[in-house]
Amino acid sequence: MHHETQKLIGTIGIRSYDRNFPQFKNFYNPENTASIWRVFVAKPWRRNGVASALVHKAEDFCREKGYQKVYLHTQKNVKGSLDFWISNGYHITEDTNNPLKTVHMEKDLHEISSPCDADGILIF
């Protein structure tokens, strides 16, 4: 929420991994893997670090809850999406080459520490 306007400018969802992708059956589970869902930033606030700040706060939350990895999937045809996730330390675990151009991605939470300070402010 923007501190001056009190308007919501971005959201992110986190939940335990709960998908049934057969290729990840013995790799991801709800005990060690969190999933990121539905990252959204209002258009006037895009490309201002809001999404990255949300992702880093979500990763901090996941670390606090004891998760080892974060899983997500995105589509390569969503403008800027793949580059955004790669720039935030995620790597492709599977490129499905399906009609939606879905890629599965993950990040090991122990490899990279959060760039946020104690107040949750993203430090550049």
Side-chain angles (χ1 to χ4, degrees):
M1 184 160 310
H2 187 266
H3 69 281
E4 292 174 6
T5 65
Q6 298 299 300
K7 291 188 178 189
L8 189 64
I9 60 172
T11 63
I12 190 168
I14 292 288
R15 65 184 186 201
S16 295
Y17 180 82
D18 64 353
R19 304 303 290 191
N20 273 339
F21 296 119
Q23 66 271 39
F24 301 130
K25 183 178 180 183
N26 296 316
F27 194 65
Y28 299 135
N29 64 63
E31 289 78 36
N32 72 11
T33 307
S35 297
I36 290 181
W37 296 91
R38 310 286 189 246
V39 178
F40 173 79
V41 175
K43 284 186 181 182
W45 294 95
R46 292 180 186 167
R47 303 217 178 266
N48 286 297
V50 174
S52 291
L54 289 169
V55 168
H56 293 300
K57 287 299 287 182
E59 291 170 355
D60 287 345
F61 172 83
C62 292
R63 282 185 195 93
E64 290 170 16
K65 297 298 179 187
Y67 290 108
Q68 298 169 8
K69 302 175 194 182
V70 176
Y71 161 88
L72 63 91
H73 64 267
T74 191
Q75 283 73 38
K76 291 188 289 187
N77 58 358
V78 174
K79 185 179 178 185
S81 179
L82 186 58
D83 290 339
F84 170 78
W85 290 111
I86 290 171
S87 73
N88 277 282
Y90 288 78
H91 66 275
I92 297 171
T93 57
E94 182 181 13
D95 185 340
T96 65
N97 292 312
N98 67 7
L100 294 174
K101 302 199 178 288
T102 303
V103 292
H104 299 275
M105 305 183 81
E106 76 169 40
K107 182 175 183 177
D108 182 335
L109 292 175
H110 297 102
E111 288 179 7
I112 302 168
S113 62
S114 172
C116 296
D117 69 10
D119 295 320
I121 307 298
L122 188 63
I123 302 168
F124 292 96

